[in-house]
Amino acid sequence: MPHIQLNNDAPGIRSLVIYRPDTGKPLYELAQALLRAGSPDSTLSDAERELIAAFVSNQNCTDFCRNSHAAASRYLFGEQASIVDQTLQNPETAPISTKLRTLLTIAERVTADARTVTDDVVATARAEGATDGDIHDTVLIAASFSMYNRYVDGLATLASDDPTDYVAMGERMGTLGYVVPKPN
Amino acid sequence: MPHIDFVPGLPGIRGPMAFSPETARPLNELVNVLLRSNANHPDSTLSAGERELIGTFVSARNDCFFCQTIHGAVASHHLGDTDWSLVQSVKQDYANAAISDKLKALLAVAGSVQQGGKHVTAEQIEKARSEGATDRDIHDTVLIAAAFCMFNRYVDGLDTWAPDSSDLYRYRAQKVAEYGYTHEDHYMPPA
């Protein structure tokens, strides 16, 4: 049960943005700007952005965000959807580019303790072709999911255990993006 | 040295915000709504100064120098804490600071959020309620704490530059109190 009265039975962050559209609006606009548009010089695809979000949510043990963003990433990867679960299980052996692997290292460090993002890990990512925009966007995706995860868990919002619920959610996120839901 | 070549001379979060205006817009709007507009809501019992204190406290727990110094300066400005001693005492030992029991209970919630959302307990929420916190206060406390876990990581993850001079933070605090976070103005004092 959520810690406060949300007056709706939507899951996860959706219940919070329906309850509070004043903060929901910038929270969804941030997700849209980061997970869809991205910095002008960024080489990251939408599927990869969703994967970074799912990876950070997995590290923070926030099931709702991990499952929904993993589902969005699978939807966007299409035929290569299995990359998502392979990466969540072990990014070292997953069939992803070395560039993405180095960016996931940066994301992991931002999530654990941002002061551990050293010049070395950034130089390694650059050597693999990461641009300024890739580094910026990776840091802010990891930082913002350190917020979204805490928001969703800190108020004890509801999350479904049924994987099929997330398939529909992933498709909606992959097609419509982040649009503040209307109250039900 | 920052990890990206930001425009020189822009402190803390201002460098990455200038680099990425598309994300800066919702970030500034979020902080403005949370730390300022909502202080005036009829169901809120948290003042702008208390909201800034929560952000400062979480930034101190995350050891983010820039965020704890600027938001500490804004909190002090709002709360008439001219020598910054109140903010210092909240960062060091809030349980014995000269703040209300309600704010202490909300800082306990914020401290748990800083560690991870699942650390927040039903007992902490009950305690905050029994001290007079509304659902709105609890929501805003959790989201302020969560948001500063983002801002702190954004600032430190890119290794941004932070000025040492307390005069600059006092100057900026006055500007923030006057204009809020969504107003475009020249960051540095006139030369």
Side-chain angles (χ1 to χ4, degrees), chain A residues 16-35:
Chain A
L16 298 171
V17 303
I18 291 170
Y19 166 68
R20 286 291 297 274
D22 61 328
T23 45
K25 179 178 168 281
L27 288 172
Y28 269 45
E29 284 172 359
L30 177 65
Q32 181 71 18
L34 258 180
L35 299 179

Side-chain angles (χ1 to χ4, degrees), chain A residues 3-5 16 19-20 22-23 25-27 29-30 33-34 39 41 60-63 110-112 114-115 117-119 122 126 132-133 135-136 139-140 142-144 146-147 150-151 153-155, chain B residues 1 3-5 16 19-20 22-23 26-27 29-30 33-34 38 62-63 113-118 120-122 125 129 135-136 138-140 142-143 146-147 149-150 152-154 156-159:
Chain A
H3 287 314
I4 57 175
Q5 193 80 38
L16 298 171
Y19 166 68
R20 286 291 297 274
D22 61 328
T23 45
K25 179 178 168 281
L27 288 172
E29 284 172 359
L30 177 65
L34 258 180
S39 289
D41 74 341
N60 283 329
C61 303
T62 304
D63 295 353
V110 169
T111 305
R115 296 165 303 170
V117 179
T118 56
D119 292 347
V122 174
R126 281 191 196 282
D132 277 356
I135 291 162
H136 170 273
V139 169
L140 188 51
S144 66
S146 297
M147 165 181 68
R150 282 172 169 80
Y151 186 34
D153 279 338
L155 288 167
Chain B
M1 267 257 299
H3 292 316
I4 296 175
D5 286 334
F19 176 84
S20 178
E22 294 304 317
T23 46
L27 288 172
E29 193 187 325
L30 177 66
V33 163
L34 263 180
N38 271 296
N62 283 326
D63 194 23
V113 170
Q114 185 267 338
Q115 291 177 277
K118 291 189 175 73
V120 176
T121 65
I125 301 290
R129 273 211 187 94
D135 271 16
R136 206 174 172 94
I138 293 166
H139 169 275
D140 287 2
V142 169
L143 187 50
C149 286
M150 165 177 66
N152 299 161
R153 281 168 171 78
Y154 192 30
D156 281 341
L158 290 167
D159 202 9

